[in-house]
Protein backbone atom coordinates (compact mmCIF):
# COMPACT_ATOMS: atom_id res chain seq x y z
CA UNK A 1 0.00 0.00 0.00
CA UNK A 2 3.00 2.25 0.48
CA UNK A 3 6.68 2.23 -0.29
CA UNK A 4 7.46 2.45 3.43
CA UNK A 5 6.74 -1.28 3.56
CA UNK A 6 8.61 -3.40 1.03
CA UNK A 7 6.02 -6.17 1.04
CA UNK A 8 2.49 -6.72 2.29
CA UNK A 9 2.70 -7.62 5.94
CA UNK A 10 6.12 -5.99 6.44
CA UNK A 11 6.57 -4.03 9.64
CA UNK A 12 5.38 -0.44 9.25
CA UNK A 13 7.89 1.83 10.95
CA UNK A 14 6.25 5.17 10.17
CA UNK A 15 4.69 6.87 13.19
CA UNK A 16 2.64 10.04 13.35
CA UNK A 17 4.83 12.06 11.00
CA UNK A 18 3.40 13.27 7.70
CA UNK A 19 3.65 10.82 4.81
CA UNK A 20 5.68 12.28 1.91
CA UNK A 21 3.80 12.67 -1.36
CA UNK A 22 5.92 10.13 -3.21
CA UNK A 23 4.81 7.39 -0.77
CA UNK A 24 1.11 8.19 -1.04
CA UNK A 25 0.21 5.69 -3.75
CA UNK A 26 -2.92 4.05 -2.30
CA UNK A 27 -6.36 4.13 -3.95
CA UNK A 28 -9.76 4.80 -2.33
CA UNK A 29 -11.10 1.39 -3.41
CA UNK A 30 -8.53 -0.23 -1.10
CA UNK A 31 -10.47 1.20 1.83
CA UNK A 32 -13.57 -0.89 1.10
CA UNK A 33 -12.26 -4.06 2.85
CA UNK A 34 -11.08 -1.88 5.74
CA UNK A 35 -14.61 -0.78 6.60
CA UNK A 36 -16.01 -4.25 5.93
CA UNK A 37 -13.54 -5.68 8.44
CA UNK A 38 -14.33 -2.92 10.94
CA UNK A 39 -17.91 -4.19 11.19
CA UNK A 40 -17.72 -8.00 11.15
CA UNK A 41 -19.00 -8.32 14.71
CA UNK A 42 -21.39 -10.75 16.37
CA UNK A 43 -22.61 -7.82 18.44
CA UNK A 44 -24.48 -6.48 15.41
CA UNK A 45 -26.68 -9.57 15.57
CA UNK A 46 -27.50 -9.00 19.22
CA UNK A 47 -28.11 -5.31 18.57
CA UNK A 48 -30.46 -6.28 15.74
CA UNK A 49 -32.27 -8.55 18.17
CA UNK A 50 -32.55 -5.64 20.60
CA UNK A 51 -34.47 -3.66 17.97
CA UNK A 52 -37.24 -6.27 18.15
CA UNK A 53 -37.09 -7.19 21.85
CA UNK A 54 -36.25 -3.88 23.54
CA UNK A 55 -37.57 -1.33 21.02
CA UNK A 56 -40.46 -3.46 19.66
CA UNK A 57 -39.75 -2.71 16.01
CA UNK A 58 -41.12 -4.82 13.18
CA UNK A 59 -39.10 -6.16 10.24
CA UNK A 60 -39.58 -3.11 8.01
CA UNK A 61 -38.63 -0.70 10.78
CA UNK A 62 -35.52 -2.78 11.49
CA UNK A 63 -34.71 -2.51 7.78
CA UNK A 64 -34.93 1.29 7.98
CA UNK A 65 -32.57 1.27 10.97
CA UNK A 66 -30.12 -1.10 9.26
CA UNK A 67 -29.96 1.16 6.18
CA UNK A 68 -29.87 4.53 7.94
CA UNK A 69 -27.33 3.74 10.69
CA UNK A 70 -24.29 3.06 8.45
CA UNK A 71 -25.16 5.98 6.18
CA UNK A 72 -25.18 8.37 9.15
CA UNK A 73 -22.14 7.07 11.01
CA UNK A 74 -19.89 6.00 8.15
CA UNK A 75 -20.83 9.05 6.14
CA UNK A 76 -19.10 10.96 8.95
CA UNK A 77 -16.22 8.46 8.92
CA UNK A 78 -15.70 9.14 5.22
CA UNK A 79 -15.96 12.91 5.58
CA UNK A 80 -13.36 13.04 8.36
CA UNK A 81 -11.24 10.58 6.35
CA UNK A 82 -10.82 13.34 3.75
CA UNK A 83 -8.51 15.07 6.24
CA UNK A 84 -6.14 12.11 5.91
CA UNK A 85 -5.52 12.75 2.21
CA UNK A 86 -5.17 16.46 2.89
CA UNK A 87 -2.66 16.09 5.70
CA UNK A 88 -1.06 12.68 5.19
CA UNK A 89 -1.04 11.94 8.92
CA UNK A 90 -3.13 10.07 11.53
CA UNK A 91 -6.24 11.75 12.91
CA UNK A 92 -4.89 12.60 16.34
CA UNK A 93 -1.73 14.08 14.80
CA UNK A 94 -3.80 16.29 12.48
CA UNK A 95 -5.81 17.24 15.55
CA UNK A 96 -2.78 19.19 16.83
CA UNK A 97 -3.47 21.76 14.12
CA UNK A 98 -6.96 22.26 15.54
CA UNK A 99 -6.50 22.11 19.31
CA UNK A 100 -2.89 23.20 19.67
CA UNK A 101 0.05 21.09 20.79
CA UNK A 102 -1.02 21.04 24.44
CA UNK A 103 -4.74 21.41 23.86
CA UNK A 104 -4.74 18.22 21.79
CA UNK A 105 -3.73 16.25 24.89
CA UNK A 106 -7.24 16.74 26.32
CA UNK A 107 -9.38 15.04 23.64
CA UNK A 108 -6.46 12.71 22.83
CA UNK A 109 -6.35 11.35 26.38
CA UNK A 110 -10.11 10.83 26.51
CA UNK A 111 -10.19 9.07 23.13
CA UNK A 112 -7.26 6.86 24.13
CA UNK A 113 -9.00 5.82 27.35
CA UNK A 114 -12.27 5.25 25.48
CA UNK A 115 -10.45 2.86 23.16
CA UNK A 116 -9.50 0.75 26.17
CA UNK A 117 -13.16 -0.06 26.68
CA UNK A 118 -13.83 -0.70 22.98
CA UNK A 119 -10.85 -3.04 22.73
CA UNK A 120 -11.88 -4.80 25.95
CA UNK A 121 -15.37 -5.52 24.60
CA UNK A 122 -13.90 -6.86 21.36
CA UNK A 123 -11.32 -9.01 23.15
CA UNK A 124 -13.96 -10.57 25.39
CA UNK A 125 -16.23 -11.30 22.43
CA UNK A 126 -13.35 -12.93 20.57
CA UNK A 127 -12.48 -15.04 23.60
CA UNK A 128 -16.11 -16.15 23.89
CA UNK A 129 -16.03 -17.22 20.23
CA UNK A 130 -12.95 -19.40 20.81
CA UNK A 131 -14.48 -20.93 23.94
CA UNK A 132 -17.69 -21.79 22.10
CA UNK A 133 -15.79 -23.39 19.20
CA UNK A 134 -13.88 -25.57 21.68
CA UNK A 135 -17.16 -26.58 23.31
CA UNK A 136 -18.94 -27.45 20.05
CA UNK A 137 -16.07 -29.31 18.39
CA UNK A 138 -14.35 -30.97 21.35
CA UNK A 139 -16.77 -30.73 24.27
CA UNK A 140 -14.29 -28.65 26.29
CA UNK A 141 -16.26 -26.58 28.81
CA UNK A 142 -15.27 -23.08 29.82
CA UNK A 143 -13.79 -22.30 33.23
CA UNK A 144 -11.98 -19.32 34.70
CA UNK A 145 -8.53 -20.59 33.72
CA UNK A 146 -9.54 -21.42 30.14
CA UNK A 147 -11.33 -18.07 29.89
CA UNK A 148 -8.08 -16.24 30.65
CA UNK A 149 -6.03 -18.45 28.30
CA UNK A 150 -8.37 -17.72 25.38
CA UNK A 151 -8.42 -14.02 26.22
CA UNK A 152 -4.62 -13.95 26.26
CA UNK A 153 -4.42 -15.80 22.93
CA UNK A 154 -6.83 -13.33 21.34
CA UNK A 155 -4.97 -10.26 22.62
CA UNK A 156 -1.59 -11.64 21.50
CA UNK A 157 -2.97 -12.28 17.98
CA UNK A 158 -4.42 -8.77 17.91
CA UNK A 159 -1.10 -7.26 18.94
CA UNK A 160 0.73 -9.21 16.22
CA UNK A 161 -1.50 -7.88 13.41
CA UNK A 162 -1.79 -4.30 14.64
CA UNK A 163 1.90 -4.15 15.51
CA UNK A 164 2.92 -5.06 11.95
CA UNK A 165 1.03 -2.05 10.62
CA UNK A 166 -1.20 -0.87 7.81
CA UNK A 167 -0.28 -3.49 5.19
CA UNK A 168 -0.94 -6.42 7.52
CA UNK A 169 -4.26 -4.91 8.63
CA UNK A 170 -5.37 -4.26 5.05
CA UNK A 171 -4.36 -7.71 3.82
CA UNK A 172 -6.28 -9.43 6.64
CA UNK A 173 -9.32 -7.25 5.98
CA UNK A 174 -9.29 -8.21 2.30
CA UNK A 175 -9.48 -11.93 3.02
CA UNK A 176 -12.02 -11.39 5.81
CA UNK A 177 -14.27 -9.66 3.27
CA UNK A 178 -14.31 -12.83 1.14
CA UNK A 179 -15.04 -15.03 4.15
CA UNK A 180 -17.85 -12.75 5.25
CA UNK A 181 -19.47 -12.92 1.82
CA UNK A 182 -19.56 -16.71 1.94
CA UNK A 183 -20.82 -16.68 5.51
CA UNK A 184 -23.62 -14.22 4.73
CA UNK A 185 -24.95 -16.36 1.90
CA UNK A 186 -24.83 -19.41 4.18
CA UNK A 187 -26.71 -17.86 7.08
CA UNK A 188 -29.20 -16.00 4.92
CA UNK A 189 -30.03 -19.23 3.10
CA UNK A 190 -30.60 -21.00 6.39
CA UNK A 191 -32.85 -18.23 7.71
CA UNK A 192 -34.92 -18.10 4.51
CA UNK A 193 -35.66 -21.82 4.79
CA UNK A 194 -35.95 -22.17 8.58
CA UNK A 195 -37.74 -18.97 9.61
CA UNK A 196 -41.48 -18.73 10.17
CA UNK A 197 -41.89 -15.62 8.03
CA UNK A 198 -45.56 -15.18 8.85
CA UNK A 199 -44.58 -14.73 12.48
CA UNK A 200 -41.85 -12.28 11.52
CA UNK A 201 -44.12 -10.18 9.31
CA UNK A 202 -47.02 -10.22 11.80
CA UNK A 203 -44.88 -8.53 14.44
CA UNK A 204 -46.50 -5.19 15.35
CA UNK A 205 -44.75 -1.90 14.60
CA UNK A 206 -42.99 0.18 17.22
CA UNK A 207 -43.02 3.93 17.63
CA UNK A 208 -41.16 6.43 15.48
CA UNK A 209 -39.15 7.40 18.56
CA UNK A 210 -37.97 3.80 18.87
CA UNK A 211 -36.85 3.77 15.23
CA UNK A 212 -34.79 6.92 15.77
CA UNK A 213 -33.37 5.47 18.98
CA UNK A 214 -32.40 2.31 17.12
CA UNK A 215 -30.60 4.31 14.45
CA UNK A 216 -28.75 6.25 17.14
CA UNK A 217 -27.76 3.07 19.02
CA UNK A 218 -26.33 1.22 16.01
CA UNK A 219 -24.77 4.33 14.47
CA UNK A 220 -22.97 4.97 17.77
CA UNK A 221 -20.70 2.02 17.04
CA UNK A 222 -19.58 3.60 13.78
CA UNK A 223 -18.96 6.94 15.47
CA UNK A 224 -16.08 5.35 17.38
CA UNK A 225 -14.20 4.95 14.07
CA UNK A 226 -14.47 8.61 13.03
CA UNK A 227 -11.27 9.89 14.71
CA UNK A 228 -9.40 6.91 13.21
CA UNK A 229 -10.52 7.55 9.62
CA UNK A 230 -7.43 9.62 8.63
CA UNK A 231 -5.20 6.81 9.95
CA UNK A 232 -6.33 4.69 7.01
CA UNK A 233 -6.50 7.45 4.37
CA UNK A 234 -3.14 9.12 4.96
CA UNK A 235 -1.49 7.06 2.20
CA UNK A 236 -3.96 8.41 -0.38
CA UNK A 237 -2.63 11.09 -2.77
CA UNK A 238 -3.98 14.60 -2.39
CA UNK A 239 -5.85 14.15 -5.69
CA UNK A 240 -7.85 11.14 -4.44
CA UNK A 241 -11.62 11.47 -4.88
CA UNK A 242 -13.38 12.69 -1.73
CA UNK A 243 -16.63 11.14 -2.96
CA UNK A 244 -14.88 7.78 -3.29
CA UNK A 245 -13.51 8.04 0.27
CA UNK A 246 -17.02 8.60 1.64
CA UNK A 247 -18.56 6.01 -0.68
CA UNK A 248 -16.18 3.22 0.30
CA UNK A 249 -16.73 3.94 3.98
CA UNK A 250 -20.53 3.84 3.71
CA UNK A 251 -20.53 0.92 1.27
CA UNK A 252 -18.05 -1.20 3.21
CA UNK A 253 -19.94 -0.75 6.45
CA UNK A 254 -23.36 -1.09 4.83
CA UNK A 255 -22.75 -4.51 3.30
CA UNK A 256 -22.08 -5.83 6.81
CA UNK A 257 -24.42 -3.82 9.02
CA UNK A 258 -27.52 -4.31 6.85
CA UNK A 259 -27.58 -8.14 6.74
CA UNK A 260 -26.23 -8.62 10.28
CA UNK A 261 -28.81 -6.35 11.90
CA UNK A 262 -31.64 -7.88 9.89
CA UNK A 263 -30.48 -11.41 10.74
CA UNK A 264 -30.48 -10.51 14.41
CA UNK A 265 -33.97 -9.02 14.14
CA UNK A 266 -35.31 -12.14 12.39
CA UNK A 267 -33.69 -14.51 14.91
CA UNK A 268 -35.12 -12.53 17.83
CA UNK A 269 -38.71 -13.25 16.77
CA UNK A 270 -38.30 -16.92 17.69
CA UNK A 271 -35.45 -16.56 20.24
CA UNK A 272 -35.88 -13.23 22.06
CA UNK A 273 -33.27 -14.20 24.67
CA UNK A 274 -30.63 -13.38 22.05
CA UNK A 275 -31.05 -9.69 22.87
CA UNK A 276 -30.13 -10.11 26.55
CA UNK A 277 -27.78 -13.10 26.63
CA UNK A 278 -24.94 -12.71 29.14
CA UNK A 279 -22.67 -14.41 26.58
CA UNK A 280 -24.14 -13.68 23.12
CA UNK A 281 -21.55 -15.76 21.27
CA UNK A 282 -22.13 -19.09 23.00
CA UNK A 283 -25.88 -18.42 22.93
CA UNK A 284 -25.79 -18.21 19.16
CA UNK A 285 -23.78 -21.42 19.10
CA UNK A 286 -26.69 -23.09 20.89
CA UNK A 287 -29.54 -21.84 18.69
CA UNK A 288 -27.83 -22.47 15.33
CA UNK A 289 -27.20 -25.96 13.92
CA UNK A 290 -23.58 -27.13 14.20
CA UNK A 291 -22.94 -27.04 10.45
CA UNK A 292 -23.63 -23.31 10.42
CA UNK A 293 -22.61 -22.41 14.00
CA UNK A 294 -18.97 -23.42 13.58
CA UNK A 295 -18.21 -21.42 10.40
CA UNK A 296 -20.21 -18.52 11.83
CA UNK A 297 -18.13 -18.51 15.01
CA UNK A 298 -14.91 -18.63 13.03
CA UNK A 299 -16.08 -15.59 11.08
CA UNK A 300 -17.03 -13.86 14.33
CA UNK A 301 -13.60 -14.64 15.72
CA UNK A 302 -11.82 -13.30 12.64
CA UNK A 303 -14.03 -10.22 12.61
CA UNK A 304 -13.42 -9.31 16.24
CA UNK A 305 -9.71 -9.93 15.77
CA UNK A 306 -9.60 -7.47 12.86
CA UNK A 307 -11.72 -4.87 14.61
CA UNK A 308 -9.44 -4.96 17.62
CA UNK A 309 -6.34 -4.86 15.42
CA UNK A 310 -7.60 -1.73 13.68
CA UNK A 311 -8.50 -0.10 16.99
CA UNK A 312 -5.10 -0.89 18.53
CA UNK A 313 -3.38 0.30 15.36
CA UNK A 314 -5.01 3.71 15.79
CA UNK A 315 -4.47 3.67 19.56
CA UNK A 316 -0.73 3.39 18.93
CA UNK A 317 -0.81 6.72 17.08
CA UNK A 318 -2.91 8.31 19.82
CA UNK A 319 -0.39 7.18 22.43
CA UNK A 320 2.41 8.78 20.43
CA UNK A 321 0.54 12.10 20.19
CA UNK A 322 0.24 12.02 23.99
CA UNK A 323 4.04 12.01 24.26
CA UNK A 324 4.74 8.30 24.75
CA UNK A 325 8.16 8.21 23.09
CA UNK A 326 8.26 4.70 21.70
CA UNK A 327 7.85 3.31 18.16
CA UNK A 328 4.27 2.85 17.00
CA UNK A 329 4.32 -0.96 17.27
CA UNK A 330 5.44 -0.75 20.90
CA UNK A 331 2.87 1.93 21.67
CA UNK A 332 0.28 -0.63 20.56
CA UNK A 333 1.44 -2.99 23.33
CA UNK A 334 0.20 -0.57 26.00
CA UNK A 335 -3.40 -0.99 24.84
CA UNK A 336 -2.90 -4.74 24.47
CA UNK A 337 -2.00 -5.07 28.15
CA UNK A 338 -4.87 -2.84 29.22
CA UNK A 339 -7.46 -4.79 27.19
CA UNK A 340 -6.12 -8.01 28.69
CA UNK A 341 -6.57 -6.76 32.25
CA UNK A 342 -9.97 -5.16 31.72
CA UNK A 343 -11.17 -8.11 29.63
CA UNK A 344 -10.33 -10.48 32.46
CA UNK A 345 -12.39 -8.40 34.86
CA UNK A 346 -15.37 -8.28 32.47
CA UNK A 347 -15.33 -12.05 31.85
CA UNK A 348 -15.01 -12.96 35.51
CA UNK A 349 -17.23 -10.32 37.12
CA UNK A 350 -19.80 -8.84 34.71
CA UNK A 351 -23.28 -10.39 34.88
CA UNK A 352 -24.83 -8.75 31.80
CA UNK A 353 -22.55 -8.53 28.79
CA UNK A 354 -25.00 -6.82 26.45
CA UNK A 355 -26.23 -4.45 29.14
CA UNK A 356 -22.63 -3.42 29.80
CA UNK A 357 -21.94 -3.09 26.08
CA UNK A 358 -24.94 -0.86 25.27
CA UNK A 359 -24.24 1.35 28.30
CA UNK A 360 -20.60 1.67 27.32
CA UNK A 361 -21.45 2.36 23.68
CA UNK A 362 -23.68 5.32 24.52
CA UNK A 363 -20.97 6.97 26.63
CA UNK A 364 -18.23 6.08 24.14
CA UNK A 365 -20.06 7.82 21.29
CA UNK A 366 -20.28 11.07 23.26
CA UNK A 367 -16.57 10.94 24.12
CA UNK A 368 -15.65 10.66 20.42
CA UNK A 369 -18.32 13.05 19.16
CA UNK A 370 -17.02 16.13 20.99
CA UNK A 371 -13.78 15.81 19.01
CA UNK A 372 -15.69 15.06 15.79
CA UNK A 373 -17.73 18.26 16.04
CA UNK A 374 -14.71 20.53 16.47
CA UNK A 375 -12.43 18.75 13.99
CA UNK A 376 -15.16 18.50 11.37
CA UNK A 377 -16.03 22.19 11.69
CA UNK A 378 -12.35 23.08 11.36
CA UNK A 379 -12.19 21.12 8.08
CA UNK A 380 -14.55 23.70 6.58
CA UNK A 381 -11.80 26.30 6.82
CA UNK A 382 -8.60 24.23 6.64
CA UNK A 383 -7.67 22.21 3.55
CA UNK A 384 -3.97 21.57 4.31
CA UNK A 385 -1.87 20.75 7.36
CA UNK A 386 1.69 21.82 8.12
CA UNK A 387 3.69 18.63 8.72
CA UNK A 388 6.60 20.44 10.38
CA UNK A 389 4.28 22.34 12.71
CA UNK A 390 2.52 19.10 13.71
CA UNK A 391 5.84 17.42 14.53
CA UNK A 392 7.17 20.42 16.47
CA UNK A 393 5.80 20.18 20.02
CA UNK A 394 7.71 23.21 21.31
CA UNK A 395 6.79 26.89 21.48
CA UNK A 396 8.23 27.41 18.01
CA UNK A 397 5.42 25.37 16.42
CA UNK A 398 2.95 27.23 14.23
CA UNK A 399 0.31 25.21 16.10
CA UNK A 400 1.34 26.40 19.55
CA UNK A 401 -1.27 29.18 19.54
CA UNK A 402 -1.81 30.53 23.09
CA UNK A 403 0.28 28.62 25.58
CA UNK A 404 -0.06 25.49 23.44
CA UNK A 405 -3.87 25.71 23.32
CA UNK A 406 -6.42 26.85 20.76
CA UNK A 407 -8.97 28.48 23.11
CA UNK A 408 -11.85 28.17 20.63
CA UNK A 409 -11.29 24.47 19.98
CA UNK A 410 -10.74 23.47 23.61
CA UNK A 411 -13.74 25.47 24.83
CA UNK A 412 -16.05 24.10 22.09
CA UNK A 413 -14.86 20.54 22.81
CA UNK A 414 -15.40 20.85 26.57
CA UNK A 415 -18.84 22.45 26.29
CA UNK A 416 -19.96 19.92 23.66
CA UNK A 417 -18.75 17.00 25.77
CA UNK A 418 -20.53 18.15 28.94
CA UNK A 419 -23.69 19.04 27.03
CA UNK A 420 -23.76 15.66 25.30
CA UNK A 421 -23.42 13.82 28.59
CA UNK A 422 -26.30 15.83 30.02
CA UNK A 423 -28.51 14.51 27.19
CA UNK A 424 -27.28 10.90 27.49
CA UNK A 425 -28.98 8.03 29.27
CA UNK A 426 -27.65 4.52 29.91
CA UNK A 427 -27.62 1.82 32.57
CA UNK A 428 -24.52 3.41 34.08
CA UNK A 429 -25.27 7.10 33.79
CA UNK A 430 -28.25 9.35 33.12
CA UNK A 431 -27.72 13.03 32.44
CA UNK A 432 -29.98 15.64 34.04
CA UNK A 433 -31.43 16.63 30.64
CA UNK A 434 -31.91 13.08 29.36
CA UNK A 435 -35.61 12.90 30.21
CA UNK A 436 -38.65 14.85 29.05
CA UNK A 437 -36.95 16.13 25.88
CA UNK A 438 -36.63 14.95 22.30
CA UNK A 439 -32.87 14.35 22.36
CA UNK A 440 -33.00 12.30 25.55
CA UNK A 441 -36.04 10.33 24.41
CA UNK A 442 -34.45 9.43 21.09
CA UNK A 443 -31.02 8.58 22.50
CA UNK A 444 -29.29 11.24 20.40
CA UNK A 445 -26.84 12.50 22.99
CA UNK A 446 -23.90 11.91 20.64
CA UNK A 447 -25.64 13.86 17.85
CA UNK A 448 -26.21 16.78 20.21
CA UNK A 449 -22.53 16.64 21.13
CA UNK A 450 -21.39 16.95 17.50
CA UNK A 451 -23.78 19.80 16.76
CA UNK A 452 -23.05 21.82 19.91
CA UNK A 453 -19.27 21.50 19.73
CA UNK A 454 -19.18 22.14 15.97
CA UNK A 455 -21.44 25.21 15.99
CA UNK A 456 -19.68 26.69 19.01
CA UNK A 457 -16.30 26.27 17.35
CA UNK A 458 -17.54 28.01 14.21
CA UNK A 459 -18.74 31.09 16.08
CA UNK A 460 -15.83 31.49 18.49
CA UNK A 461 -12.79 33.58 17.41
CA UNK A 462 -10.00 31.30 16.27
CA UNK A 463 -6.22 31.58 15.97
CA UNK A 464 -4.88 32.82 12.66
CA UNK A 465 -4.92 30.17 9.94
CA UNK A 466 -1.47 28.74 9.30
CA UNK A 467 -0.31 28.56 5.69
CA UNK A 468 1.61 25.30 5.22
CA UNK A 469 4.73 25.06 3.07
CA UNK A 470 4.55 23.85 -0.50
CA UNK A 471 4.06 20.13 -1.12
CA UNK A 472 7.58 19.70 -2.52
CA UNK A 473 9.04 21.16 0.67
CA UNK A 474 7.06 18.68 2.76
CA UNK A 475 8.19 15.74 0.66
CA UNK A 476 11.82 16.73 1.13
CA UNK A 477 11.72 17.23 4.91
CA UNK A 478 13.41 14.74 7.26
CA UNK A 479 11.21 12.25 9.11
CA UNK A 480 9.90 13.49 12.44
CA UNK A 481 10.55 11.71 15.72
CA UNK A 482 6.89 10.70 16.14
CA UNK A 483 6.39 12.30 19.54
Amino acid sequence: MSKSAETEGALETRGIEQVPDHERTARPRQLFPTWVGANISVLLLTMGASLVVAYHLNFWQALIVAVAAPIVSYGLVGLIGIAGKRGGAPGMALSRAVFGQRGNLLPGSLIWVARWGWETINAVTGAYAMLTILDILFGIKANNVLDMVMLLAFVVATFAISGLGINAVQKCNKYATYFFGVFSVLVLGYLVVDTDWSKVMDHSAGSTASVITGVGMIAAGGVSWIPSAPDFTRYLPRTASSKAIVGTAVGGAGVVVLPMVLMGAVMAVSTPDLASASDPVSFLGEILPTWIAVPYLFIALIGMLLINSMSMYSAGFTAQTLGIKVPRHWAVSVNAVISLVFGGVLMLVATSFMGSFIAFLSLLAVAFSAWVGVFGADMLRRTEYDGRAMADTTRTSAYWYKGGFSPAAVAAWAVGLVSGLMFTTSDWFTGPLATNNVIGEYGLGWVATIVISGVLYLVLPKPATVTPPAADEIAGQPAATGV
Side-chain angles (χ1 to χ4, degrees), residues 272-364:
D273 289 345
L274 170 61
S276 58
S278 59
D279 172 3
V281 182
S282 62
F283 183 84
L284 284 165
E286 294 171 3
I287 65 176
L288 293 174
T290 301
W291 65 271
I292 198 172
V294 172
Y296 159 74
L297 290 170
F298 272 117
I299 291 295
L301 175 60
I302 292 171
M304 300 312 298
L305 183 63
L306 293 177
I307 290 172
N308 236 27
S309 297
M310 290 175 61
S311 182
M312 284 192 182
Y313 176 72
S314 292
F317 294 132
T318 305
Q320 286 184 312
T321 63
L322 296 178
I324 298 179
K325 300 181 180 181
V326 295
R328 180 202 56 79
H329 51 284
W330 286 117
V332 169
S333 66
V334 177
N335 276 54
V337 172
I338 291 171
S339 65
L340 180 62
V341 173
F342 286 3
V345 173
L346 182 59
M347 292 187 78
L348 297 176
V349 177
T351 56
S352 174
F353 180 86
M354 277 310 295
S356 300
F357 172 68
I358 296 299
F360 163 74
L361 195 63
S362 62
L363 298 178
L364 175 77

Side-chain angles (χ1 to χ4, degrees), residues 41-62:
S41 170
V42 60
L43 299 177
L44 282 172
L45 288 176
T46 51
M47 293 170 74
S50 296
L51 296 178
V52 173
V53 177
Y55 300 112
H56 309 293
L57 304 185
N58 64 17
F59 177 83
W60 301 112
Q61 290 175 318

Side-chain angles (χ1 to χ4, degrees), residues 113-124:
V113 171
R115 290 212 175 278
W116 299 353
W118 188 237
E119 289 154 11
T120 296
I121 293 289
N122 292 335
V124 169

Side-chain angles (χ1 to χ4, degrees), residues 30 53 64 116 172 177 198-199 206 220 305 333 335 374 392 415 482:
Q30 294 175 271
V53 177
I64 293 173
W116 299 353
C172 290
T177 299
S198 62
K199 188 176 181 181
L305 183 63
S333 66
N335 276 54
V374 175
D392 182 4
V415 172

